[in-house]
């Protein structure tokens, strides 16, 4: 059944949002509410609008029509900095600064915000512990870490300011399968410790079903499924993840 969120309003909502590039609607009149404090996976083939949807959430993309609301307020495109401080963002390939140590990368935002050194140190230690990164790694540089470790550093950096929203754009796509399974566990652990409204863009249905409690499937700029994972799995019992995604994209209704 539907969950009831006592006093929790959705941190993110789109009302009939449309984004056009020339004649093409990358996002076509999408209305969507991301359930508070859950992980929602946004799944679909390349070019279906997943990344644009994520960019709408933090103001990197602006809708040509419709509205994007964060924390109950329409986005203020003239002043996005306060909003972005409340949102963590991690992308494929981590985007870590190569000339900064692990600690430097993770704590950058807090330093810019003027946190005290004891607060920075405490938060860094907490995040390293949550993602099982060795404290000794704090003084290393990104190139000295494995891909999976770099991705965990990226997650720590995104979570440094204790954001209420975490946006993840195919963050694990480039990692080998063994490291990926490991980082999935770290993400779930982090999420249990600090539940945030998390939006995970992926083209991998297995990853989506493993990590997300809510699923959004997109095709050609439109949302064709918006449903709790467990409800979907109950309806499609025994269907393999890849087959399930193909069925949804072909437009078979339950």
């Amino acid at each position: 059944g539907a969950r009831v969120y006592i006093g929790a309003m959705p941190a993110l909502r789109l009302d009939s949002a449309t984004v056009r590039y020339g004649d093409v609607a990358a996002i076509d009149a999408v209305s969507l509410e991301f359930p508070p404090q859950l992980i929602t996976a946004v799944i679909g083939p390349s070019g279906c609008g997943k990344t644009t949807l994520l960019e709408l959430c933090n103001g990197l993309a602006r809708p040509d029509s419709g509205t994007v609301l964060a924390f109950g307020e329409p986005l203020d495109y003239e002043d996005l900095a306060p909003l972005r401080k409340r949102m963590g963002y991690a992308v494929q390939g981590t985007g870590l600064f190569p000339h900064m140590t692990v600690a430097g990368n993770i704590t950058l935002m807090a330093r810019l915000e003027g946190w005290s050194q004891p607060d920075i140190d405490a938060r860094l230690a907490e995040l390293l512990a949550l993602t099982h990164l060795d404290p000794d790694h704090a003084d290393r540089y990104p190139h000295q870490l494995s891909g999976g470790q770099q991705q965990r550093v990226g997650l720590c950096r995104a979570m440094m300011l204790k954001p209420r929203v975490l946006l993840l754009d195919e963050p694990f796509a480039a990692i080998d399968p063994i490291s990926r399974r490991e980082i999935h566990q770290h993400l779930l652990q982090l999420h249990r410790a600090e539940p945030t409204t998390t939006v995970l863009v992926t083209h991998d249905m297995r990853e989506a079903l493993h990590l997300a409690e809510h699923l959004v499937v997109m095709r050609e700029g439109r949302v064709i499924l918006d449903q709790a994972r467990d409800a979907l799995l109950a309806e499609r019992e025994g269907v393999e993840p890849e087959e399930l995604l193909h069925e949804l994209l072909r437009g078979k209704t339950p």
Side-chain angles (χ1 to χ4, degrees):
R3 296 195 189 193
V4 178
Y5 303 99
I6 306 300
M9 72 167 158
L12 278 180
R13 200 175 96 212
L14 283 75
D15 285 339
S16 310
T18 296
V19 177
R20 293 189 173 283
Y21 296 119
D23 297 338
V24 180
I27 296 287
D28 193 357
V30 168
S31 293
L32 204 54
E33 214 166 79
F34 293 100
Q37 300 188 346
L38 297 187
I39 298 177
T40 297
V42 180
I43 316 144
S46 251
C48 72
K50 307 186 293 286
T51 293
T52 307
L53 183 75
L54 204 63
E55 290 174 344
L56 278 172
C57 294
N58 73 354
L60 275 173
R62 268 182 94 150
D64 292 295
S65 58
T67 315
V68 180
L69 296 103
F71 313 113
E73 300 283 329
L75 264 56
D76 176 1
Y77 294 99
E78 306 312 309
D79 186 18
L80 289 165
L83 170 79
R84 288 186 178 152
K85 284 171 196 164
R86 301 169 75 185
M87 293 188 177
Y89 192 51
V91 294
Q92 185 179 337
T94 71
L96 298 176
F97 295 111
H99 60 284
M100 275 188 198
T101 62
V102 164
N105 268 286
I106 294 173
T107 62
L108 177 63
M109 288 302 291
R111 296 201 311 278
L112 293 174
E113 281 296 282
W115 285 27
S116 73
Q117 198 56 50
D119 284 351
I120 288 174
D121 293 344
R123 180 63 174 156
L124 175 63
E126 186 176 35
L127 287 167
L128 292 175
L130 277 173
T131 53
H132 296 267
L133 279 165
D134 189 328
D136 293 348
H137 287 10
D139 298 325
R140 292 191 187 172
Y141 289 87
H143 72 90
Q144 297 172 302
L145 304 182
S146 71
Q149 288 169 330
Q150 288 182 28
Q151 207 61 62
R152 280 186 266 166
V153 173
L155 274 180
C156 289
R157 183 177 63 182
M159 292 297 289
M160 182 70 198
L161 298 185
K162 302 189 180 177
R164 287 184 47 199
V165 168
L166 181 60
L167 305 175
L168 303 172
D169 192 1
E170 300 259 10
F172 316 130
I175 304 176
D176 66 274
I178 290 165
S179 304
R180 193 181 310 175
R181 272 201 297 279
E182 205 176 280
I183 190 150
H184 284 169
Q185 294 319 109
H186 295 312
L187 175 64
L188 290 171
Q189 250 172 325
L190 195 57
H191 191 261
R192 275 194 295 273
E194 301 188 359
T196 50
T197 301
T198 300
V199 184
L200 167 72
V201 163
T202 178
H203 60 270
D204 181 342
M205 191 66 168
R206 271 178 204 282
E207 179 167 88
L209 292 172
H210 179 50
L211 293 175
E213 297 141 295
H214 196 84
L215 302 171
V216 169
V217 177
M218 292 186 70
R219 183 179 64 199
E220 294 167 2
R222 293 203 170 134
V223 169
I224 57 173
L225 178 94
D226 175 13
Q227 192 175 22
R229 171 188 62 192
D230 294 350
L232 178 69
L233 289 177
E235 283 169 11
R236 308 292 182 96
E237 209 179 336
V239 181
E240 278 291 296
E242 281 83 354
E243 184 51 36
L244 179 55
L245 184 58
H246 288 309
E247 277 185 19
L248 293 169
L249 291 171
R250 281 200 305 266
K252 286 196 179 172
T253 44

